[in-house]
């Protein structure tokens, strides 16, 4: 087998590292450019004046190339900084921005339609001046915000963190399309709009997913389906990624081969077809990046020259980073490079390894997603807490449907001027799209579908070790029983890798059992109150006579779902949404469709009302909560203490959080304060008959804004802090801990003790914690 050509890999790494350094530390850009340029000049002068052996010339030449590439990346950042800094100076102010949309639009979790734009003018409303900077704009969902359209937006601006591609984020409360997209972009937008409208007339599942699979329009993909796609490792199919581009390249290459085209013509047609696909789905940076990487990977494999693929991939990465250095700090770019590199370098040996026990075509179909998963896993662990454990299986199940949905859906989009043909093609593409949606929904709900790991270098190293061990075991260099061909060193490495995998699989199997069939085996029977460990957020359960209330859902569905499984809870009788911050309602998807009654705080924003409407549509009775409401939960009684109906003193949000009291029926007398600050806490103390409590859920995760009089009045025996480990807010604050300690309360914290359970037994308050606090 030909050796891989890795000569350009050092150049790619040098440019990537320099670009990342300069975008994360912008003030270093000019210094880095000057230093690299100076050193490159000195090395070049030495090579010219003092020629030595070919080894020294080769080493010096390589150094010059590396330093020149690094200097070019730093210069690109340096020249872009003045415009970015001018845009960032409008942080926290209301601005008017005009510009051209440079990306596709997608609906965020806040209900806004988000897109990127390059500004023409930026400044105070009515007095904006010339500007050319990348910004991200969020508007109320509407048609017309397509790539190439000229827009005007007015709203509050917020500067981004270092490393983000957009210099400014604008939360627009007034936005309009000044000039619709025209030319080729206008034609592409019209085709996509017609296709999306046609797709949405088809039934779910699949109708909302089909535009994402075919043309990268994800606006119709529901939040729940998007979460399921991510959990099942299929999220790369919901938008235009390297997978979609590879399907287009492979499809055109195959079809042209069937028509008798030669290899050169097939390559030309594939490249032209991919270019048209990029224009259709929106030639934004992420799409161009995915297209370039996929084209390089697929063409090197299809042309039978994988040895050149690594060099071409490195060259493409360098070119992309020199044009847009801010991609160096984005997970998407790293994942594209890793997946493409895995397709070139890792998939062929994996296919040979699998080929020893299965047909070649099946082995290749398995090797491609397997290689991508192994290469991307460590990168995902750097940025995300979720690792999909069923991603490979889900990809294998969905693999036959993905190319059909993509290609036929793309043809349906292009056939929009012929409605009959377009309807036929869209209906044909719907079936594989529904198959993918059903695969995602089913696999995402399997016990142990994903593993929660703290994002960071440690988790990345752990996942990387497991990935390497899997690759070593699969890509063994000799057949079973031919250890001599492997060599003693290789045999030791294989056995070590196998031992690591046995340990990991044993631990994973135990975890799956404890998180699935044996989930409740270690849970005490007598608990009545549970504080789930969901990170920086609230998710508290109250149970009496087999009836369950859930107060808030935490920031994400996965931690809440794991907590509910561990407690054996499949149904929620009463869901209380104290207010609508993400750390309190972000996990609603984990219980949607399994709730009887919802009590909620004041809902003013459109996304808040949409959340409640979705809960109502899934079968829940939805009511707004006001002080004085009462009810029963099994044998326990509950009472709403806050907010006061009709009061204008405290706006919706933290200070209008729903405050609940539970008592009786085996439930310790408990008070749940939401995110109230000190001022509404004082009003609550004056207006509600509080008395003493066994348990108080401390307001706002233990922030410093607390009223000492309230906690002195309730004289709680236990103070619950629902808080994330090492959170950026410093919660719980030391002054709040001291305040509760002074009242005689025992502090219990989810960041140190994990899940916390409380109950009553023999007239005593019983406490069980998942971990022992340090």
């Amino acid at each position: 087998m030909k050796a891989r050509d890795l000569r350009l890999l050092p150049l790619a790494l040098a440019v990537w590292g320099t670009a990342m350094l300069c975008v994360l530390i912008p003030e270093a850009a000019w210094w880095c450019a000057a230093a690299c340029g100076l050193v490159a000049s000195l090395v070049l002068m030495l090579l010219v004046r003092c020629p030595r052996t070919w080894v020294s010339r080769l080493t010096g030449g390589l150094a010059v190339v590396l330093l020149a590439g690094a200097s070019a990346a730093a210069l690109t950042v340096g020249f872009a900084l003045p415009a970015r800094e001018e845009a960032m100076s409008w942080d926290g102010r209301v601005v008017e921005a005009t510009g051209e949309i440079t990306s596709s639009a997608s609906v965020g979790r806040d209900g806004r339609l988000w897109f990127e734009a390059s500004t023409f003018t930026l400044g105070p409303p009515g007095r904006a001046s010339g500007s050319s900077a990348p910004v991200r704009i969020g508007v109320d969902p509407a048609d017309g915000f397509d790539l190439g359209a000229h827009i005007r937006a007015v709203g509050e601006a917020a500067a981004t963190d270092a490393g983000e591609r957009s210099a400014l984020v604008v939360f627009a409360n007034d936005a309009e399309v000044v000039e619709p997209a025209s030319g080729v972009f206008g034609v592409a937008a019209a085709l996509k709009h017609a296709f999306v409208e046609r797709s949405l007339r088809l039934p779910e599942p699949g109708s909302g997913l089909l535009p994402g699979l075919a043309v990268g329009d994800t606006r119709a993909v529901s939040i729940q389906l998007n979460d399921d796609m991510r959990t099942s490792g299929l999220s790369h199919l919901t938008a235009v990624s390297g997978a979609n581009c590879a399907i287009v390249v492979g499809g055109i290459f195959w079809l042209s081969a069937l028509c008798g085209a030669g290899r050169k013509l097939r390559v030309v047609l594939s490249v032209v077809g991919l270019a048209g696909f990029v224009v259709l789905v929106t030639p934004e940076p992420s799409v161009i990046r995915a297209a370039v990487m996929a084209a390089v990977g697929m063409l090197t494999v299809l042309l039978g020259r994988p040895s050149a693929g690594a060099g071409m991939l490195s060259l493409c990465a360098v070119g992309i980073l020199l044009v847009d250095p801010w991609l160096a700090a984005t997970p998407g770019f790293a994942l594209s490079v890793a997946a493409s590199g895995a397709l070139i370098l890792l998939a062929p040996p994996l296919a040979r390894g699998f080929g020893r026990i299965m047909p070649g075509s099946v082995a290749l179909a398995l090797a491609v997603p397997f290689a991508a998963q192994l290469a991307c896993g460590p990168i995902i662990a750097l940025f995300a807490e979720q690792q999909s454990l069923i991603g490979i299986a889900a990809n294998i199940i969905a693999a036959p449907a993905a190319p059909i949905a993509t290609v036929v859906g793309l043809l349906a989009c292009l056939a929009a001027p012929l409605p009959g043909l377009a309807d036929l093609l869209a209906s044909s593409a719907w079936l594989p799209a529904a198959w993918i949606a059903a695969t995602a929904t089913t696999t995402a709900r399997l016990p142990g579908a994903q593993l929660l790991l703290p994002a960071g270098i440690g988790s990345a190293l752990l996942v990387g070790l497991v990935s390497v061990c899997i690759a070593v075991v699969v890509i063994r260099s000799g057949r079973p029983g031919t250890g001599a061909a492997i060599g003693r060193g290789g045999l030791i490495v294989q056995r070590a890798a196998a031992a690591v995998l046995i340990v990991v699989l044993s631990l994973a199997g135990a975890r799956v059992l404890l998180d699935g069939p044996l989930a409740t085996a270690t849970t005490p029977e007598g608990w009545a109150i549970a504080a789930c460990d969901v990170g920086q957020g609230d998710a508290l359960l109250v149970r009496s006579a087999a009836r369950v209330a859930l107060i808030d859902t935490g920031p994400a569905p996965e931690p809440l779902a794991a907590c509910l499984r561990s407690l054996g809870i499949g149904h929620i009788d009463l869901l209380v949404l104290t207010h609508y911050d993400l750390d309190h309602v972000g996990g609603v998807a984990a219980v949607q469709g399994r709730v009887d009654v919802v009590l909620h705080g004041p809902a003013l924003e459109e996304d808040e009302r949409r959340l409640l409407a979705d809960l109502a549509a899934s079968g829940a009775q939805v009511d707004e909560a006001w002080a004085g409401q009462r009810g029963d939960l099994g044998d326990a009684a509950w009472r709403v203490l806050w907010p006061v109906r009709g009061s204008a003193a405290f706006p919706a949000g933290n200070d209008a959080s729903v405050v609940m009291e539970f008592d009786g029926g085996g439930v310790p007398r408990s008070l749940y304060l939401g995110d109230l600050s000190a001022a509404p806490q004082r009003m609550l103390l004056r207006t509600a008959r509080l008395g003493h409590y066994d348990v108080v859920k401390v307001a706002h995760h233990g922030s410093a804004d607390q009223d000492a009089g309230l906690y002195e009045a309730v004289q709680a025996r236990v103070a619950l802090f629902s808080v994330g480990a090492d959170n950026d807010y410093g919660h719980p604050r030391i002054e709040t801990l001291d305040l509760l300690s002074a009242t005689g309360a025992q502090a219990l914290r989810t960041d140190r003790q994990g899940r916390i359970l409380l109950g009553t037994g023999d007239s005593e308050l019983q406490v069980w914690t998942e971990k022992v606090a340090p």
Side-chain angles (χ1 to χ4, degrees), residues 45 72 82 157 168 193 240 259 359 436 520 557 638 659 679:
M45 289 173 59
L168 200 68
H193 283 303
V240 176
C259 297
I436 294 171
T520 60
W638 56 262
V659 176

Side-chain angles (χ1 to χ4, degrees), residues 38-50 60-61 64:
L38 179 61
V39 175
S41 300
L42 291 175
V43 173
L44 189 59
M45 289 173 59
L46 288 174
L47 287 175
V48 172
R49 293 189 177 186
C50 306
V64 170

Side-chain angles (χ1 to χ4, degrees), residues 561-643:
C563 182
L564 294 176
R565 282 197 303 270
S566 70
L567 297 173
I569 295 173
H571 186 80
I572 303 297
D573 298 282
L574 173 65
L575 172 62
V576 181
L577 300 177
T578 61
H579 60 297
Y580 301 94
D581 286 353
L582 184 65
D583 57 334
H584 291 257
V585 300
V588 163
V591 295
Q592 193 156 357
R594 297 189 289 160
V595 177
D596 285 343
V597 177
V598 177
L599 283 179
H600 63 88
L604 302 181
E605 301 295 331
E606 177 62 30
D607 59 313
E608 298 169 357
R609 291 193 287 268
R610 188 183 303 112
L611 172 68
L612 298 175
D614 289 344
L615 286 167
S618 62
Q621 175 188 330
V622 178
D623 297 312
E624 189 166 351
W626 297 104
Q629 289 175 315
R630 297 173 180 269
D632 296 325
L633 180 76
D635 296 331
W638 56 262
R639 178 166 64 116
V640 178
L641 306 177
W642 189 266

Side-chain angles (χ1 to χ4, degrees), residues 578-579 601-604 642-643 647-657 675-677 679-680:
T578 61
H579 60 297
L604 302 181
W642 189 266
S647 173
F650 300 101
N654 286 357
D655 288 347
S657 294
D675 274 3
L676 290 192
S677 62

Side-chain angles (χ1 to χ4, degrees), residues 675-697:
D675 274 3
L676 290 192
S677 62
Q681 287 179 28
R682 286 190 287 271
M683 181 66 74
L684 173 67
L685 182 60
R686 289 196 294 268
T687 58
R689 299 188 301 275
L690 295 180
H692 292 179
Y693 291 86
D694 296 307
V695 180
V696 61
K697 199 289 295 185

